[in-house]
Amino acid sequence: MKNKIHLKTASLVAALLAVVMAVLGLGMTALPASAAELTDAEITLRTESVVSSQWDQVDLTCEWSVPDNSRPGDTFSIQLPPQLRWFGVTSFDLQNPDGEAVATAMANDSGLVVFTLTDFVAEQPLNVGGTCSFSTQYSVDPGDSEIEELSFTVGSTVLRVPVDVQPCTSECGPSLPTEAGKAMWWVDPAQTVLESIFYMPPMPARTNDVVITDTPAAGMEIDCSRVTPRVGRVLNDDGNITEPYANEQYPASLDCTPQKLTASWTGLPEGLHVELYVVTQVTDPALDVYENSGTVTISGEETPVSAQTRRSSGSGTGNGTPTPTPTPTATATPTPTPSTATPSPSPTTPTATSTPSPSASTTTPTATASATPAPSPSTATPMPTATPTATDEPIVVTTEPLVAGPTENPSEPAAEAPEEPLANTGSQGAAFVFIAAALLAVGSLLAFAGSRWSSRRSH
């Protein structure tokens, strides 16, 4: 009885394992092929940017290509050097002339730019390549060097791109502004936030009243929680006010809405420096140019100021060609020309010639007729039949196609170069299904053995 229970349990376990393995096999068979990193993609980088100070913009262009028959989802990448940070939109398409995306580019905060091929290459897998362009910022102080090479990592290759660095060599201290002005720049690489500064010369009179107005154009709004007035006498190396500040001694009066800001000071002493920092949020990301204007009034003298900042975006092109369709070569089947058979000559029937009888004379002799009898058909001697030559054979025309035999021993067909297998092609699923079938067979044998044991025990 125990053996019977053990056989039943074993057969049930085998059947359950067979079901599990079959499900796993079918699931793995349905898995798509994994994408590959194209370490042999070719990329050429160029720049004509000149760097003179920290945060200067460095524009880069590239030419790229990937091996033939690359697949959708395959990737290649560019790692920016530590001196540069990504600047601009973090993703963009590389399109063909018809607007179809051949690849997409995505940049992360570490400066890694990953290009991913789209479904376009499935239909046009040959000669896939194009161009790209994007902007970065020089994030470190250029120092005193005149020429510096930037090292970009492309797959397992390091590309060195020279950048023209022209740092200050004389009178490099902070320069004091001689008139009021305004500057504006992007705060984040995604280009969603702008910051601007109003600057002006040191206060010219013994006592001065200052009023600043800021009016952003369409597509921008002032963030009133991020307005920073500064007053002081000490400047840093960039010419901006640094600690110790005199903000509490000479506080600013602020009147702010998303569309307009007014900041005012009264009784500022001679030689004091005044700055105003304003942060604006982008409300229309579709614009290419963002403008911000305002006025600076010192002791009743008003100076209009403005600033403009362009959006820097990545872009690129791409294209490919489809696999040519082989043109079949039509093999003409020769139509045999029927030969004209030479007819065999018909036998000539001989004609019997009669010998004329002599004329009768006065003496009646016995006339002897000597006639040559005509041969009867039964005894006629047939003419010999001519032996036909090769050209006398009749040609038999058949409607079946002619099969031309080889004129020489055929060579073995050239083996096709095996394609590089992907990380998962679904073949593992077939193995699971095979194992499931084997387990199911084992379970069936165990169940059969159990039934046989049960029948013996009952007898």
Side-chain angles (χ1 to χ4, degrees):
M1 183 66 180
K2 290 183 178 180
N3 290 337
K4 178 182 177 182
I5 295 175
H6 291 166
L7 289 173
K8 284 186 176 180
T9 302
S11 63
L12 288 174
V13 171
L16 180 60
L17 287 175
V19 172
V20 173
M21 298 299 284
V23 171
L24 286 174
L26 293 174
M28 292 193 69
T29 303
L31 286 175
S34 301
E37 183 177 357
L38 303 175
T39 56
D40 49 354
E42 294 185 2
I43 301 176
T44 303
L45 285 168
R46 296 183 179 87
T47 183
E48 296 180 358
S49 297
V50 176
V51 175
S52 59
S53 62
Q54 190 177 19
W55 308 122
D56 279 355
Q57 184 168 313
V58 179
D59 296 321
L60 294 159
T61 61
C62 84
E63 296 178 1
W64 63 274
S65 63
V66 296
D68 286 347
N69 299 309
S70 296
R71 298 176 175 88
D74 289 351
T75 61
F76 59 95
S77 60
I78 300 174
Q79 175 64 57
L80 299 184
Q83 295 92 340
L84 298 180
R85 74 166 187 171
W86 184 261
F87 182 67
V89 293
T90 56
S91 64
F92 57 91
D93 290 338
L94 286 70
Q95 300 179 342
N96 72 350
D98 295 329
E100 299 175 280
V102 179
T104 59
M106 178 73 69
N108 62 17
D109 294 338
S110 67
L112 178 65
V113 189
V114 178
F115 298 82
T116 305
L117 300 180
T118 68
D119 292 339
F120 176 90
V121 301
E123 298 295 331
Q124 304 189 60
L126 304 181
N127 304 314
V128 176
T131 64
C132 70
S133 61
F134 52 89
S135 297
T136 63
Q137 280 185 320
Y138 202 87
S139 60
V140 297
D141 191 336
D144 299 328
S145 60
E146 296 181 359
I147 297 294
E148 183 172 339
E149 287 185 337
L150 299 178
S151 298
F152 296 81
T153 303
V154 179
S156 59
T157 305
V158 176
L159 300 181
R160 304 186 187 281
V161 180
V163 174
D164 188 4
V165 179
Q166 297 179 355
C168 178
T169 56
S170 62
E171 298 181 2
C172 300
S175 57
L176 299 178
T178 58
E179 60 182 3
K182 188 178 191 301
M184 186 169 61
W185 60 92
W186 292 108
V187 172
D188 59 334
Q191 300 181 356
T192 61
V193 180
L194 285 157
E195 187 173 10
S196 57
I197 179 175
F198 290 83
Y199 55 86
M200 61 200 74
M203 295 296 101
R206 290 186 58 186
T207 180
N208 303 269
D209 295 337
V210 176
V211 178
I212 297 176
T213 63
D214 186 20
T215 308
M220 305 166 58
E221 287 185 351
I222 297 174
D223 184 350
C224 293
S225 65
R226 301 173 70 180
V227 176
T228 306
R230 285 183 181 171
V231 179
R233 294 183 179 277
V234 181
L235 304 180
N236 60 20
D237 293 340
D238 296 326
N240 300 124
I241 301 172
T242 188
E243 295 179 335
Y245 300 122
N247 298 334
E248 294 182 359
Q249 186 178 357
Y250 303 99
S253 175
L254 301 179
D255 182 10
C256 184
T257 68
Q259 286 73 40
K260 187 175 181 178
L261 166 67
T262 301
S264 57
W265 294 262
T266 58
L268 297 177
E270 183 179 2
L272 197 67
H273 297 279
V274 177
E275 293 173 344
L276 180 66
Y277 291 87
V278 181
V279 174
T280 54
Q281 300 283 345
V282 173
T283 58
D284 184 1
L287 298 180
D288 292 331
V289 180
Y290 295 86
E291 296 182 358
N292 197 322
S293 59
T295 60
V296 175
T297 303
I298 303 175
S299 298
E301 184 177 349
E302 182 179 286
T303 303
V305 294
S306 65
Q308 182 184 90
T309 300
R310 301 187 64 86
R311 179 177 290 279
S312 175
S313 61
S315 62
T317 64
N319 216 335
T321 57
T323 302
T325 303
T327 303
T329 304
T331 303
T333 302
T335 303
T337 305
S339 303
T340 304
T342 305
S344 301
S346 300
T348 304
T349 303
T351 305
T353 306
S354 300
T355 304
S357 300
S359 303
S361 59
T362 57
T363 302
T364 308
T366 301
T368 302
S370 180
T372 303
S376 64
S378 59
T379 59
T381 302
M383 296 292 292
T385 304
T387 302
T389 61
T391 57
D392 295 331
E393 291 279 358
I395 301 300
V396 180
V397 179
T398 177
T399 57
E400 296 182 1
L402 299 178
V403 179
T407 58
E408 58 183 20
N409 293 330
S411 59
E412 290 292 331
E416 294 182 0
E419 294 185 358
E420 181 181 355
L422 298 178
N424 175 36
T425 61
S427 61
Q428 300 93 330
F432 276 101
V433 174
F434 176 78
I435 296 173
L439 288 173
L440 190 58
V442 171
S444 300
L445 290 174
L446 291 174
F448 176 74
S451 64
R452 294 284 293 176
W453 176 267
S454 177
S455 62
R456 289 181 179 179
R457 296 284 293 179
S458 62
H459 288 80

